[in-house]
Amino acid sequence: MRAFVITGPGHAEVQEVEPPMPGPGEVVVEVERAGVCGTDMEFYSGAMTYLHTGEARYPVRIGHEWAGVVREAGDGVDPAWLGRHVTGDTMLGCGSCARCLGGSQHLCADRYEIGVRNGWPGALAERLPVPVHALQPLPGTVDPVLGALVEPGGNALRAVNAAALDRGDRLLVIGPGTIGLLAALMAAARGVEVHLLGLTEPSLDFARSLGFTRTWTGRPEPAFDGVIDASNGRDSPALAVEVVEPGRRIVLIGLSAEPSRIDTRRLVLGDVTAHGILSASGGLAGAVELYASGLVDPRPLVAATVSLEEAALVLAGPRRPEWGSAPKIHIDPRLPG
């Protein structure tokens, strides 16, 4: 089968590789869509932390935001899964440690991460092996485009839930990328007043096209009932602490390439809770429900869908003018090169 393989920093190609065979408790999914995110771009550039800690190494087959159809089932898998449209969890815990048994398999020290950690192949390929327990079924109203947005949506939903906001509360989202905009859409669906802080006018123009008129490029003035930092800005977490109301929460889901510093005196004296979010685990079903109900429509976030052969161009950063300012690019492995 065809698969996109990163062989080193700045080097990648589509290769013919052996198709996966389902092991016990596993299925093989025919991939219909896969999203590209900042983590994938870091693998391509060589900046990804796991490359330096030994948790990942080249060659890497990326892709952890995906949707497809179950085509093969291994021993012990209910045949009823065959032909079903699915997406799935990125985090694959060992299943036997205290964290896994306690419901936190996404924090398992020995976990695989699809397309990211410990060599589990990703979804930028025609077929993908997945443990059946990680599958999330998709209803008929959630097509492959929406299905490939479930994983980032699960992250965003967990961030919104962690902010613990009520209708009419004011939320500041720092970073109008895919996760930030999904969080904004989900919070707005709950009646939250959403403000967005970004660096560039084009990104905020796109946010405004989605109906978010309260936007900032400089330091925002009001105090907010919650702040979600979905950016990669080194100083954003400190800003979040400064502008959140005392007694409320900041949620940190973005990661800076450099260490971020927070004055913990502000946390203590403001009785502020800081909540970190790792992965969509626990948020996938809720994201599917929001998409299926129509309360949240993330389709406008997808700028384009391209082939595997065009993935390297996407990862390198340049954007075609016709793509506009929408943040997400999808790959369809079935498209000809």
Side-chain angles (χ1 to χ4, degrees), residues 69-261:
V69 181
V70 177
R71 294 302 187 197
E72 299 179 58
D75 290 344
V77 175
D78 187 342
W81 279 106
L82 292 170
R84 295 193 71 175
H85 291 263
V86 296
T87 185
D89 201 342
T90 299
M91 305 300 206
L92 310 178
C94 71
S96 58
C97 70
R99 294 174 188 174
C100 287
L101 295 175
S104 296
Q105 56 85 32
H106 65 296
L107 301 177
C108 173
D110 296 323
R111 70 185 180 273
Y112 292 94
E113 297 179 24
I114 292 177
V116 178
R117 189 175 191 260
N118 284 338
W120 196 285
L124 264 64
E126 292 178 322
R127 297 206 166 198
L128 173 71
V130 187
V132 68
H133 65 77
L135 293 179
Q136 176 65 50
L138 300 175
T141 51
V142 177
D143 65 10
V145 175
L146 294 177
L149 288 165
V150 167
E151 196 277 342
N155 277 278
L157 180 58
R158 289 191 64 216
V160 172
N161 288 341
L165 298 166
D166 295 319
R167 178 175 291 274
D169 281 350
R170 291 165 298 159
L171 168 68
L172 175 66
V173 177
I174 304 175
T178 299
I179 299 292
L181 289 172
L182 284 168
L185 289 167
M186 291 173 176
R190 298 181 179 184
V192 172
E193 180 183 299
V194 177
H195 296 243
L196 282 158
L197 172 64
L199 294 176
T200 67
E201 279 301 326
S203 65
L204 292 175
D205 283 342
F206 179 75
R208 287 188 279 267
S209 76
L210 300 177
F212 298 109
T213 58
R214 302 176 178 91
T215 59
W216 306 80
T217 53
R219 181 186 175 89
E221 296 176 2
F224 297 93
D225 301 302
V227 181
I228 296 174
D229 176 20
S231 76
N232 59 5
R234 181 189 63 183
D235 299 324
S236 297
L239 175 64
V241 178
E242 293 171 10
V243 300
V244 74
E245 280 280 354
R248 303 306 293 260
R249 297 187 177 195
I250 65 168
V251 182
L252 308 174
I253 192 168
L255 286 173
S256 170
E258 304 174 62
S260 298
R261 290 178 170 82

Side-chain angles (χ1 to χ4, degrees), residues 243-285:
V243 300
V244 74
E245 280 280 354
R248 303 306 293 260
R249 297 187 177 195
I250 65 168
V251 182
L252 308 174
I253 192 168
L255 286 173
S256 170
E258 304 174 62
S260 298
R261 290 178 170 82
I262 292 178
D263 185 346
T264 57
R265 293 172 296 184
R266 287 184 176 271
L267 288 176
V268 173
L269 297 174
D271 202 9
V272 171
T273 299
H275 193 121
I277 298 292
L278 173 69
S279 91
S281 299
L284 298 172

Side-chain angles (χ1 to χ4, degrees), residues 47-67:
M48 174 59 185
T49 299
Y50 287 172
L51 292 169
H52 306 287
T53 61
E55 294 161 276
R57 58 181 56 87
Y58 295 117
V60 177
R61 286 169 48 187
I62 59 171
H64 59 276
E65 305 173 3
W66 56 271

